[in-house]
Amino acid sequence: MKRSPTEIEADIRAIKDLSNSRGWALICEHLKDEVYRLSVAKSRNINATSRQSDMTDGAISATDGFLRVDQVVAIRLANEFALDAPPIEGAPDA
């Protein structure tokens, strides 16, 4: 479903508001603590199997990635907005 530039701009503002909210800061603080906890637990578990180690690595990576989800969504929306924007007069064709 194609969205209007106005809808995309509203979504970008909503993501920026979320990124600057106290709630998002609390979520990020909790996730950073979780990454630290998982990393410490992994380093202390010298008898972990390869599978256990891989699962811990995956959890750390997923948690770390979620910390940047607001930025990823904002970039995707900005790209969508740029693709839907009318061409700039006088700009060379790409």
Side-chain angles (χ1 to χ4, degrees), residues 86-94:
I88 299 171
E89 190 174 319
D93 292 334

Side-chain angles (χ1 to χ4, degrees), residues 51-62:
R51 181 178 174 157
Q52 289 170 325
S53 183
D54 288 347
M55 289 181 68
T56 302
D57 287 346
I60 292 169
S61 179

Side-chain angles (χ1 to χ4, degrees), residues 7-62:
E7 291 172 319
I8 297 169
E9 283 179 321
D11 288 348
I12 291 171
R13 279 192 302 278
I15 292 296
K16 286 182 180 179
D17 290 345
L18 171 68
S19 296
N20 295 323
S21 73
R22 173 83 174 121
W24 184 252
L26 290 170
I27 290 170
C28 288
E29 183 179 321
H30 173 74
L31 290 175
K32 287 176 185 175
D33 289 345
E34 189 66 15
V35 167
Y36 174 77
R37 188 190 67 74
L38 287 168
S39 298
V40 169
K42 181 180 178 184
S43 70
R44 290 184 178 161
N45 189 1
I46 58 173
N47 296 323
T49 66
S50 177
R51 181 178 174 157
Q52 289 170 325
S53 183
D54 288 347
M55 289 181 68
T56 302
D57 287 346
I60 292 169
S61 179

